[in-house]
PDB file of all heavy atoms in Angstrom:
ATOM      1  N   ILE A  62     107.899  72.507   5.691  1.00 76.00           N
ATOM      2  CA  ILE A  62     109.150  72.482   6.480  1.00 76.00           C
ATOM      3  C   ILE A  62     110.117  71.475   5.873  1.00 76.00           C
ATOM      4  O   ILE A  62     109.665  70.502   5.197  1.00 76.00           O
ATOM      5  CB  ILE A  62     108.890  72.139   7.908  1.00 76.00           C
ATOM      6  CG1 ILE A  62     108.155  70.829   8.095  1.00 76.00           C
ATOM      7  CG2 ILE A  62     108.133  73.328   8.651  1.00 76.00           C
ATOM      8  CD1 ILE A  62     107.941  70.314   9.509  1.00 76.00           C
ATOM      9  N   THR A  64     112.969  70.580   7.950  1.00 81.00           N
ATOM     10  CA  THR A  64     113.769  70.149   9.113  1.00 81.00           C
ATOM     11  C   THR A  64     113.193  68.990   9.830  1.00 81.00           C
ATOM     12  O   THR A  64     111.953  68.928   9.955  1.00 81.00           O
ATOM     13  CB  THR A  64     113.971  71.361  10.112  1.00 81.00           C
ATOM     14  OG1 THR A  64     114.446  72.480   9.367  1.00 81.00           O
ATOM     15  CG2 THR A  64     114.940  70.998  11.166  1.00 81.00           C
ATOM     16  N   GLY A  65     113.984  68.077  10.287  1.00 76.00           N
ATOM     17  CA  GLY A  65     113.508  66.947  11.126  1.00 76.00           C
ATOM     18  C   GLY A  65     113.436  65.630  10.393  1.00 76.00           C
ATOM     19  O   GLY A  65     113.143  64.627  10.994  1.00 76.00           O
ATOM     20  N   THR A  73     104.211  69.875   6.763  1.00 76.00           N
ATOM     21  CA  THR A  73     103.991  71.221   7.262  1.00 76.00           C
ATOM     22  C   THR A  73     104.168  71.210   8.758  1.00 76.00           C
ATOM     23  O   THR A  73     104.290  70.121   9.414  1.00 76.00           O
ATOM     24  CB  THR A  73     102.557  71.672   6.905  1.00 76.00           C
ATOM     25  OG1 THR A  73     101.624  70.865   7.620  1.00 76.00           O
ATOM     26  CG2 THR A  73     102.343  71.641   5.405  1.00 76.00           C
ATOM     27  N   VAL A  74     104.169  72.405   9.349  1.00 77.00           N
ATOM     28  CA  VAL A  74     104.249  72.495  10.792  1.00 77.00           C
ATOM     29  C   VAL A  74     103.106  71.742  11.454  1.00 77.00           C
ATOM     30  O   VAL A  74     103.279  71.018  12.459  1.00 77.00           O
ATOM     31  CB  VAL A  74     104.244  73.990  11.226  1.00 77.00           C
ATOM     32  CG1 VAL A  74     104.213  74.091  12.735  1.00 77.00           C
ATOM     33  CG2 VAL A  74     105.453  74.745  10.663  1.00 77.00           C
ATOM     34  N   SER A  76     101.388  69.155  10.318  1.00 81.00           N
ATOM     35  CA  SER A  76     101.413  67.725  10.090  1.00 81.00           C
ATOM     36  C   SER A  76     102.675  67.020  10.551  1.00 81.00           C
ATOM     37  O   SER A  76     102.800  65.825  10.452  1.00 81.00           O
ATOM     38  CB  SER A  76     101.148  67.373   8.666  1.00 81.00           C
ATOM     39  OG  SER A  76     102.287  67.827   7.872  1.00 81.00           O
ATOM     40  N   SER A  77     103.631  67.767  11.144  1.00 87.00           N
ATOM     41  CA  SER A  77     104.928  67.175  11.540  1.00 87.00           C
ATOM     42  C   SER A  77     104.800  66.261  12.744  1.00 87.00           C
ATOM     43  O   SER A  77     104.007  66.543  13.684  1.00 87.00           O
ATOM     44  CB  SER A  77     105.865  68.281  11.868  1.00 87.00           C
ATOM     45  OG  SER A  77     107.053  67.742  12.478  1.00 87.00           O
ATOM     46  N   PRO A  78     105.484  65.123  12.746  1.00 90.00           N
ATOM     47  CA  PRO A  78     105.439  64.301  13.911  1.00 90.00           C
ATOM     48  C   PRO A  78     106.288  64.788  15.118  1.00 90.00           C
ATOM     49  O   PRO A  78     106.277  64.208  16.156  1.00 90.00           O
ATOM     50  CB  PRO A  78     106.034  62.985  13.394  1.00 90.00           C
ATOM     51  CG  PRO A  78     106.940  63.363  12.267  1.00 90.00           C
ATOM     52  CD  PRO A  78     106.242  64.549  11.652  1.00 90.00           C
ATOM     53  N   THR A  79     107.015  65.919  14.880  1.00 92.00           N
ATOM     54  CA  THR A  79     107.796  66.533  15.922  1.00 92.00           C
ATOM     55  C   THR A  79     107.426  68.016  16.037  1.00 92.00           C
ATOM     56  O   THR A  79     107.054  68.629  15.016  1.00 92.00           O
ATOM     57  CB  THR A  79     109.296  66.400  15.680  1.00 92.00           C
ATOM     58  OG1 THR A  79     109.560  66.821  14.314  1.00 92.00           O
ATOM     59  CG2 THR A  79     109.727  64.923  15.772  1.00 92.00           C
ATOM     60  N   PRO A  80     107.585  68.650  17.192  1.00 92.00           N
ATOM     61  CA  PRO A  80     107.255  70.079  17.327  1.00 92.00           C
ATOM     62  C   PRO A  80     108.284  70.948  16.655  1.00 92.00           C
ATOM     63  O   PRO A  80     109.489  70.871  16.884  1.00 92.00           O
ATOM     64  CB  PRO A  80     107.233  70.275  18.862  1.00 92.00           C
ATOM     65  CG  PRO A  80     108.149  69.224  19.382  1.00 92.00           C
ATOM     66  CD  PRO A  80     108.004  68.044  18.505  1.00 92.00           C
ATOM     67  N   ILE A  81     107.797  71.779  15.716  1.00 92.00           N
ATOM     68  CA  ILE A  81     108.679  72.706  14.974  1.00 92.00           C
ATOM     69  C   ILE A  81     108.036  74.097  14.969  1.00 92.00           C
ATOM     70  O   ILE A  81     106.879  74.262  14.730  1.00 92.00           O
ATOM     71  CB  ILE A  81     108.875  72.240  13.530  1.00 92.00           C
ATOM     72  CG1 ILE A  81     109.656  70.919  13.544  1.00 92.00           C
ATOM     73  CG2 ILE A  81     109.551  73.254  12.677  1.00 92.00           C
ATOM     74  CD1 ILE A  81     109.965  70.307  12.180  1.00 92.00           C
ATOM     75  N   ASP A  82     108.848  75.098  15.241  1.00 91.00           N
ATOM     76  CA  ASP A  82     108.439  76.473  15.110  1.00 91.00           C
ATOM     77  C   ASP A  82     108.985  77.071  13.830  1.00 91.00           C
ATOM     78  O   ASP A  82     110.153  76.752  13.452  1.00 91.00           O
ATOM     79  CB  ASP A  82     108.993  77.302  16.293  1.00 91.00           C
ATOM     80  CG  ASP A  82     108.453  76.841  17.617  1.00 91.00           C
ATOM     81  OD1 ASP A  82     107.256  76.792  17.824  1.00 91.00           O
ATOM     82  OD2 ASP A  82     109.314  76.567  18.493  1.00 91.00           O
ATOM     83  N   VAL A  83     108.191  77.815  13.148  1.00 91.00           N
ATOM     84  CA  VAL A  83     108.663  78.523  11.927  1.00 91.00           C
ATOM     85  C   VAL A  83     108.650  80.022  12.206  1.00 91.00           C
ATOM     86  O   VAL A  83     107.586  80.587  12.618  1.00 91.00           O
ATOM     87  CB  VAL A  83     107.811  78.236  10.706  1.00 91.00           C
ATOM     88  CG1 VAL A  83     108.256  79.056   9.502  1.00 91.00           C
ATOM     89  CG2 VAL A  83     107.940  76.748  10.409  1.00 91.00           C
ATOM     90  N   SER A 107     110.834  78.750  24.446  1.00 95.00           N
ATOM     91  CA  SER A 107     111.775  77.691  24.844  1.00 95.00           C
ATOM     92  C   SER A 107     113.225  78.105  24.717  1.00 95.00           C
ATOM     93  O   SER A 107     114.144  77.255  25.029  1.00 95.00           O
ATOM     94  CB  SER A 107     111.472  76.417  24.059  1.00 95.00           C
ATOM     95  OG  SER A 107     111.563  76.679  22.708  1.00 95.00           O
ATOM     96  N   LEU A 127     118.345  76.272  24.458  1.00 94.00           N
ATOM     97  CA  LEU A 127     117.011  75.763  24.095  1.00 94.00           C
ATOM     98  C   LEU A 127     116.656  74.708  25.139  1.00 94.00           C
ATOM     99  O   LEU A 127     117.430  73.810  25.485  1.00 94.00           O
ATOM    100  CB  LEU A 127     117.122  75.108  22.728  1.00 94.00           C
ATOM    101  CG  LEU A 127     115.778  74.664  22.090  1.00 94.00           C
ATOM    102  CD1 LEU A 127     114.847  75.855  21.855  1.00 94.00           C
ATOM    103  CD2 LEU A 127     116.016  73.891  20.778  1.00 94.00           C
ATOM    104  N   ARG A 128     115.440  74.844  25.667  1.00 94.00           N
ATOM    105  CA  ARG A 128     114.925  73.926  26.704  1.00 94.00           C
ATOM    106  C   ARG A 128     115.861  73.795  27.879  1.00 94.00           C
ATOM    107  O   ARG A 128     115.938  72.752  28.505  1.00 94.00           O
ATOM    108  CB  ARG A 128     114.622  72.560  26.116  1.00 94.00           C
ATOM    109  CG  ARG A 128     113.382  72.596  25.175  1.00 94.00           C
ATOM    110  CD  ARG A 128     113.062  71.221  24.652  1.00 94.00           C
ATOM    111  NE  ARG A 128     111.678  71.172  24.150  1.00 94.00           N
ATOM    112  CZ  ARG A 128     111.079  70.106  23.566  1.00 94.00           C
ATOM    113  NH1 ARG A 128     111.697  68.965  23.496  1.00 94.00           N
ATOM    114  NH2 ARG A 128     109.803  70.159  23.157  1.00 94.00           N
ATOM    115  N   GLU A 175     113.485  77.470  10.948  1.00 94.00           N
ATOM    116  CA  GLU A 175     112.761  76.342  11.452  1.00 94.00           C
ATOM    117  C   GLU A 175     113.475  75.841  12.683  1.00 94.00           C
ATOM    118  O   GLU A 175     114.643  75.527  12.646  1.00 94.00           O
ATOM    119  CB  GLU A 175     112.664  75.211  10.413  1.00 94.00           C
ATOM    120  CG  GLU A 175     111.922  75.701   9.178  1.00 94.00           C
ATOM    121  CD  GLU A 175     111.846  74.629   8.052  1.00 94.00           C
ATOM    122  OE1 GLU A 175     112.400  73.527   8.293  1.00 94.00           O
ATOM    123  OE2 GLU A 175     111.285  74.903   6.975  1.00 94.00           O
ATOM    124  N   VAL A 176     112.777  75.772  13.799  1.00 94.00           N
ATOM    125  CA  VAL A 176     113.328  75.364  15.059  1.00 94.00           C
ATOM    126  C   VAL A 176     112.676  74.074  15.456  1.00 94.00           C
ATOM    127  O   VAL A 176     111.455  74.074  15.790  1.00 94.00           O
ATOM    128  CB  VAL A 176     113.128  76.452  16.153  1.00 94.00           C
ATOM    129  CG1 VAL A 176     113.784  75.983  17.476  1.00 94.00           C
ATOM    130  CG2 VAL A 176     113.747  77.760  15.694  1.00 94.00           C
ATOM    131  N   LEU A 177     113.415  72.983  15.445  1.00 94.00           N
ATOM    132  CA  LEU A 177     112.950  71.709  15.883  1.00 94.00           C
ATOM    133  C   LEU A 177     113.182  71.576  17.362  1.00 94.00           C
ATOM    134  O   LEU A 177     114.369  71.543  17.787  1.00 94.00           O
ATOM    135  CB  LEU A 177     113.681  70.582  15.061  1.00 94.00           C
ATOM    136  CG  LEU A 177     113.521  69.165  15.584  1.00 94.00           C
ATOM    137  CD1 LEU A 177     112.084  68.678  15.493  1.00 94.00           C
ATOM    138  CD2 LEU A 177     114.424  68.202  14.795  1.00 94.00           C
ATOM    139  N   ARG A 178     112.132  71.391  18.158  1.00 95.00           N
ATOM    140  CA  ARG A 178     112.271  71.308  19.588  1.00 95.00           C
ATOM    141  C   ARG A 178     112.256  69.813  19.977  1.00 95.00           C
ATOM    142  O   ARG A 178     111.283  69.366  20.618  1.00 95.00           O
ATOM    143  CB  ARG A 178     111.185  72.014  20.274  1.00 95.00           C
ATOM    144  CG  ARG A 178     111.283  73.580  20.148  1.00 95.00           C
ATOM    145  CD  ARG A 178     110.137  74.290  20.819  1.00 95.00           C
ATOM    146  NE  ARG A 178     108.930  74.376  20.000  1.00 95.00           N
ATOM    147  CZ  ARG A 178     107.805  73.712  20.232  1.00 95.00           C
ATOM    148  NH1 ARG A 178     107.675  72.915  21.306  1.00 95.00           N
ATOM    149  NH2 ARG A 178     106.798  73.860  19.400  1.00 95.00           N
ATOM    150  N   ASP A 179     113.278  69.101  19.588  1.00 94.00           N
ATOM    151  CA  ASP A 179     113.329  67.646  19.922  1.00 94.00           C
ATOM    152  C   ASP A 179     114.775  67.157  19.644  1.00 94.00           C
ATOM    153  O   ASP A 179     115.458  67.760  18.786  1.00 94.00           O
ATOM    154  CB  ASP A 179     112.294  66.911  19.130  1.00 94.00           C
ATOM    155  CG  ASP A 179     111.796  65.650  19.879  1.00 94.00           C
ATOM    156  OD1 ASP A 179     112.542  65.229  20.859  1.00 94.00           O
ATOM    157  OD2 ASP A 179     110.717  65.142  19.552  1.00 94.00           O
ATOM    158  N   GLY A 180     115.181  66.063  20.229  1.00 94.00           N
ATOM    159  CA  GLY A 180     116.478  65.484  19.978  1.00 94.00           C
ATOM    160  C   GLY A 180     116.525  64.939  18.564  1.00 94.00           C
ATOM    161  O   GLY A 180     115.578  64.286  18.055  1.00 94.00           O
ATOM    162  N   ALA A 191     119.122  69.152  22.438  1.00 96.00           N
ATOM    163  CA  ALA A 191     117.917  69.938  22.753  1.00 96.00           C
ATOM    164  C   ALA A 191     117.056  70.200  21.525  1.00 96.00           C
ATOM    165  O   ALA A 191     115.838  70.307  21.626  1.00 96.00           O
ATOM    166  CB  ALA A 191     118.305  71.265  23.429  1.00 96.00           C
ATOM    167  N   GLY A 192     117.693  70.246  20.376  1.00 95.00           N
ATOM    168  CA  GLY A 192     116.966  70.548  19.173  1.00 95.00           C
ATOM    169  C   GLY A 192     117.846  71.063  18.075  1.00 95.00           C
ATOM    170  O   GLY A 192     119.097  70.994  18.146  1.00 95.00           O
ATOM    171  N   VAL A 193     117.199  71.589  16.997  1.00 95.00           N
ATOM    172  CA  VAL A 193     117.912  72.073  15.830  1.00 95.00           C
ATOM    173  C   VAL A 193     117.345  73.375  15.384  1.00 95.00           C
ATOM    174  O   VAL A 193     116.105  73.576  15.369  1.00 95.00           O
ATOM    175  CB  VAL A 193     117.730  71.029  14.708  1.00 95.00           C
ATOM    176  CG1 VAL A 193     118.410  71.550  13.386  1.00 95.00           C
ATOM    177  CG2 VAL A 193     118.318  69.684  15.083  1.00 95.00           C
ATOM    178  N   ARG A 567     116.686  56.954  16.717  1.00 96.00           N
ATOM    179  CA  ARG A 567     115.546  57.783  16.952  1.00 96.00           C
ATOM    180  C   ARG A 567     114.285  57.094  16.331  1.00 96.00           C
ATOM    181  O   ARG A 567     114.353  56.573  15.211  1.00 96.00           O
ATOM    182  CB  ARG A 567     115.745  59.147  16.297  1.00 96.00           C
ATOM    183  CG  ARG A 567     114.649  60.131  16.385  1.00 96.00           C
ATOM    184  CD  ARG A 567     115.083  61.443  15.771  1.00 96.00           C
ATOM    185  NE  ARG A 567     114.185  62.556  15.939  1.00 96.00           N
ATOM    186  CZ  ARG A 567     113.314  62.903  15.022  1.00 96.00           C
ATOM    187  NH1 ARG A 567     113.213  62.227  13.839  1.00 96.00           N
ATOM    188  NH2 ARG A 567     112.511  63.931  15.171  1.00 96.00           N
ATOM    189  N   SER A 569     110.178  58.238  15.818  1.00 96.00           N
ATOM    190  CA  SER A 569     109.202  59.344  16.020  1.00 96.00           C
ATOM    191  C   SER A 569     107.898  58.925  15.233  1.00 96.00           C
ATOM    192  O   SER A 569     108.008  58.299  14.178  1.00 96.00           O
ATOM    193  CB  SER A 569     109.755  60.632  15.384  1.00 96.00           C
ATOM    194  OG  SER A 569     108.796  61.706  15.594  1.00 96.00           O
ATOM    195  N   SER A 570     106.793  59.244  15.844  1.00 96.00           N
ATOM    196  CA  SER A 570     105.533  58.774  15.251  1.00 96.00           C
ATOM    197  C   SER A 570     104.404  59.819  15.504  1.00 96.00           C
ATOM    198  O   SER A 570     104.476  60.623  16.447  1.00 96.00           O
ATOM    199  CB  SER A 570     105.110  57.441  15.835  1.00 96.00           C
ATOM    200  OG  SER A 570     103.937  56.933  15.168  1.00 96.00           O
ATOM    201  N   ARG A 571     103.410  59.739  14.618  1.00 95.00           N
ATOM    202  CA  ARG A 571     102.244  60.586  14.783  1.00 95.00           C
ATOM    203  C   ARG A 571     101.016  59.861  14.242  1.00 95.00           C
ATOM    204  O   ARG A 571     101.069  59.150  13.226  1.00 95.00           O
ATOM    205  CB  ARG A 571     102.436  61.866  13.939  1.00 95.00           C
ATOM    206  CG  ARG A 571     101.159  62.793  13.919  1.00 95.00           C
ATOM    207  CD  ARG A 571     101.332  63.967  12.995  1.00 95.00           C
ATOM    208  NE  ARG A 571     100.116  64.689  12.860  1.00 95.00           N
ATOM    209  CZ  ARG A 571      99.894  65.973  13.174  1.00 95.00           C
ATOM    210  NH1 ARG A 571     100.912  66.654  13.714  1.00 95.00           N
ATOM    211  NH2 ARG A 571      98.742  66.523  12.955  1.00 95.00           N
ATOM    212  N   ARG A 581     101.448  62.778  18.891  1.00 96.00           N
ATOM    213  CA  ARG A 581     102.801  62.568  18.374  1.00 96.00           C
ATOM    214  C   ARG A 581     103.799  62.310  19.512  1.00 96.00           C
ATOM    215  O   ARG A 581     103.553  62.734  20.620  1.00 96.00           O
ATOM    216  CB  ARG A 581     103.235  63.736  17.511  1.00 96.00           C
ATOM    217  CG  ARG A 581     103.328  65.042  18.318  1.00 96.00           C
ATOM    218  CD  ARG A 581     103.550  66.251  17.420  1.00 96.00           C
ATOM    219  NE  ARG A 581     103.653  67.505  18.166  1.00 96.00           N
ATOM    220  CZ  ARG A 581     103.645  68.718  17.583  1.00 96.00           C
ATOM    221  NH1 ARG A 581     103.522  68.823  16.245  1.00 96.00           N
ATOM    222  NH2 ARG A 581     103.733  69.811  18.316  1.00 96.00           N
ATOM    223  N   GLY A 582     104.893  61.608  19.174  1.00 96.00           N
ATOM    224  CA  GLY A 582     105.848  61.295  20.191  1.00 96.00           C
ATOM    225  C   GLY A 582     107.188  60.888  19.577  1.00 96.00           C
ATOM    226  O   GLY A 582     107.232  60.427  18.421  1.00 96.00           O
ATOM    227  N   THR A 583     108.250  61.002  20.370  1.00 97.00           N
ATOM    228  CA  THR A 583     109.554  60.666  19.921  1.00 97.00           C
ATOM    229  C   THR A 583     110.345  60.085  21.027  1.00 97.00           C
ATOM    230  O   THR A 583     110.271  60.555  22.213  1.00 97.00           O
ATOM    231  CB  THR A 583     110.329  61.894  19.383  1.00 97.00           C
ATOM    232  OG1 THR A 583     109.610  62.440  18.269  1.00 97.00           O
ATOM    233  CG2 THR A 583     111.725  61.485  18.914  1.00 97.00           C
ATOM    234  N   SER A 636     109.529  62.453  24.291  1.00 97.00           N
ATOM    235  CA  SER A 636     108.550  63.521  24.114  1.00 97.00           C
ATOM    236  C   SER A 636     107.200  62.898  23.704  1.00 97.00           C
ATOM    237  O   SER A 636     107.158  61.896  23.028  1.00 97.00           O
ATOM    238  CB  SER A 636     108.983  64.563  23.104  1.00 97.00           C
ATOM    239  OG  SER A 636     109.064  63.990  21.775  1.00 97.00           O
ATOM    240  N   LEU A 637     106.173  63.602  24.186  1.00 97.00           N
ATOM    241  CA  LEU A 637     104.794  63.180  23.788  1.00 97.00           C
ATOM    242  C   LEU A 637     103.993  64.440  23.605  1.00 97.00           C
ATOM    243  O   LEU A 637     103.966  65.293  24.460  1.00 97.00           O
ATOM    244  CB  LEU A 637     104.207  62.307  24.893  1.00 97.00           C
ATOM    245  CG  LEU A 637     102.791  61.760  24.622  1.00 97.00           C
ATOM    246  CD1 LEU A 637     102.883  60.721  23.469  1.00 97.00           C
ATOM    247  CD2 LEU A 637     102.263  61.036  25.873  1.00 97.00           C
ATOM    248  N   GLY A 638     103.312  64.501  22.453  1.00 96.00           N
ATOM    249  CA  GLY A 638     102.616  65.727  22.114  1.00 96.00           C
ATOM    250  C   GLY A 638     101.200  65.499  21.686  1.00 96.00           C
ATOM    251  O   GLY A 638     100.850  64.400  21.147  1.00 96.00           O
ATOM    252  N   PHE A 639     100.374  66.525  21.879  1.00 95.00           N
ATOM    253  CA  PHE A 639      98.978  66.463  21.470  1.00 95.00           C
ATOM    254  C   PHE A 639      98.688  67.681  20.600  1.00 95.00           C
ATOM    255  O   PHE A 639      98.998  68.806  20.991  1.00 95.00           O
ATOM    256  CB  PHE A 639      98.112  66.487  22.781  1.00 95.00           C
ATOM    257  CG  PHE A 639      96.653  66.580  22.585  1.00 95.00           C
ATOM    258  CD1 PHE A 639      95.905  65.509  22.163  1.00 95.00           C
ATOM    259  CD2 PHE A 639      95.967  67.760  22.805  1.00 95.00           C
ATOM    260  CE1 PHE A 639      94.535  65.571  21.954  1.00 95.00           C
ATOM    261  CE2 PHE A 639      94.608  67.850  22.619  1.00 95.00           C
ATOM    262  CZ  PHE A 639      93.894  66.754  22.174  1.00 95.00           C
ATOM    263  N   VAL A 640      98.138  67.421  19.473  1.00 94.00           N
ATOM    264  CA  VAL A 640      97.788  68.464  18.524  1.00 94.00           C
ATOM    265  C   VAL A 640      96.277  68.507  18.343  1.00 94.00           C
ATOM    266  O   VAL A 640      95.670  67.458  18.083  1.00 94.00           O
ATOM    267  CB  VAL A 640      98.440  68.250  17.119  1.00 94.00           C
ATOM    268  CG1 VAL A 640      98.111  69.343  16.196  1.00 94.00           C
ATOM    269  CG2 VAL A 640      99.970  68.110  17.258  1.00 94.00           C
ATOM    270  N   ALA A 650      98.858  73.040  20.270  1.00 94.00           N
ATOM    271  CA  ALA A 650      99.812  71.939  20.412  1.00 94.00           C
ATOM    272  C   ALA A 650     100.404  71.974  21.829  1.00 94.00           C
ATOM    273  O   ALA A 650     100.793  72.989  22.301  1.00 94.00           O
ATOM    274  CB  ALA A 650     100.892  72.024  19.383  1.00 94.00           C
ATOM    275  N   LEU A 651     100.414  70.780  22.463  1.00 96.00           N
ATOM    276  CA  LEU A 651     100.930  70.671  23.792  1.00 96.00           C
ATOM    277  C   LEU A 651     101.966  69.471  23.737  1.00 96.00           C
ATOM    278  O   LEU A 651     101.555  68.411  23.373  1.00 96.00           O
ATOM    279  CB  LEU A 651      99.867  70.379  24.805  1.00 96.00           C
ATOM    280  CG  LEU A 651     100.310  70.236  26.253  1.00 96.00           C
ATOM    281  CD1 LEU A 651     100.779  71.578  26.777  1.00 96.00           C
ATOM    282  CD2 LEU A 651      99.086  69.797  27.102  1.00 96.00           C
ATOM    283  N   ASP A 652     103.221  69.769  24.093  1.00 97.00           N
ATOM    284  CA  ASP A 652     104.293  68.762  24.025  1.00 97.00           C
ATOM    285  C   ASP A 652     105.032  68.699  25.381  1.00 97.00           C
ATOM    286  O   ASP A 652     105.461  69.722  25.874  1.00 97.00           O
ATOM    287  CB  ASP A 652     105.264  69.058  22.928  1.00 97.00           C
ATOM    288  CG  ASP A 652     104.688  68.990  21.598  1.00 97.00           C
ATOM    289  OD1 ASP A 652     104.616  67.832  21.023  1.00 97.00           O
ATOM    290  OD2 ASP A 652     104.241  70.005  21.012  1.00 97.00           O
ATOM    291  N   ALA A 653     105.033  67.507  25.957  1.00 97.00           N
ATOM    292  CA  ALA A 653     105.846  67.200  27.117  1.00 97.00           C
ATOM    293  C   ALA A 653     107.101  66.526  26.809  1.00 97.00           C
ATOM    294  O   ALA A 653     107.130  65.767  25.803  1.00 97.00           O
ATOM    295  CB  ALA A 653     105.044  66.385  28.135  1.00 97.00           C
ATOM    296  N   TYR A 654     108.137  66.767  27.539  1.00 97.00           N
ATOM    297  CA  TYR A 654     109.467  66.178  27.197  1.00 97.00           C
ATOM    298  C   TYR A 654     110.305  65.923  28.435  1.00 97.00           C
ATOM    299  O   TYR A 654     110.110  66.530  29.539  1.00 97.00           O
ATOM    300  CB  TYR A 654     110.268  67.070  26.248  1.00 97.00           C
ATOM    301  CG  TYR A 654     110.532  68.485  26.819  1.00 97.00           C
ATOM    302  CD1 TYR A 654     111.639  68.759  27.547  1.00 97.00           C
ATOM    303  CD2 TYR A 654     109.672  69.539  26.514  1.00 97.00           C
ATOM    304  CE1 TYR A 654     111.951  69.966  28.025  1.00 97.00           C
ATOM    305  CE2 TYR A 654     109.903  70.821  26.979  1.00 97.00           C
ATOM    306  CZ  TYR A 654     111.056  71.077  27.746  1.00 97.00           C
ATOM    307  OH  TYR A 654     111.325  72.274  28.238  1.00 97.00           O
ATOM    308  N   ASP A 714     105.820  72.334  26.513  1.00 96.00           N
ATOM    309  CA  ASP A 714     105.634  73.419  25.542  1.00 96.00           C
ATOM    310  C   ASP A 714     104.210  73.515  25.149  1.00 96.00           C
ATOM    311  O   ASP A 714     103.555  72.514  24.803  1.00 96.00           O
ATOM    312  CB  ASP A 714     106.524  73.152  24.299  1.00 96.00           C
ATOM    313  CG  ASP A 714     107.982  73.391  24.526  1.00 96.00           C
ATOM    314  OD1 ASP A 714     108.315  74.285  25.344  1.00 96.00           O
ATOM    315  OD2 ASP A 714     108.811  72.705  23.906  1.00 96.00           O
ATOM    316  N   LEU A 715     103.708  74.720  25.090  1.00 96.00           N
ATOM    317  CA  LEU A 715     102.331  74.970  24.658  1.00 96.00           C
ATOM    318  C   LEU A 715     102.297  76.026  23.554  1.00 96.00           C
ATOM    319  O   LEU A 715     102.938  77.096  23.721  1.00 96.00           O
ATOM    320  CB  LEU A 715     101.427  75.398  25.783  1.00 96.00           C
ATOM    321  CG  LEU A 715      99.998  75.835  25.445  1.00 96.00           C
ATOM    322  CD1 LEU A 715      99.169  74.660  24.896  1.00 96.00           C
ATOM    323  CD2 LEU A 715      99.309  76.518  26.594  1.00 96.00           C
ATOM    324  N   THR A 716     101.685  75.775  22.438  1.00 94.00           N
ATOM    325  CA  THR A 716     101.562  76.797  21.371  1.00 94.00           C
ATOM    326  C   THR A 716     100.071  76.853  20.948  1.00 94.00           C
ATOM    327  O   THR A 716      99.412  75.819  20.761  1.00 94.00           O
ATOM    328  CB  THR A 716     102.425  76.517  20.127  1.00 94.00           C
ATOM    329  OG1 THR A 716     102.063  75.212  19.592  1.00 94.00           O
ATOM    330  CG2 THR A 716     103.848  76.432  20.531  1.00 94.00           C
TER     331      THR A 716
END
Side-chain angles (χ1 to χ4, degrees):
I62 56 174
T64 308
T73 66
V74 175
S76 66
S77 171
T79 53
I81 294 181
D82 300 304
V83 174
S107 55
L127 187 65
R128 288 184 162 178
E175 298 178 0
V176 181
L177 169 63
R178 290 178 277 112
D179 210 341
V193 178
R567 180 175 185 264
S569 182
S570 183
R571 173 185 172 119
R581 62 190 180 190
T583 299
S636 67
L637 184 65
F639 175 74
V640 181
L651 183 66
D652 293 276
Y654 59 88
D714 286 326
L715 173 67
T716 59

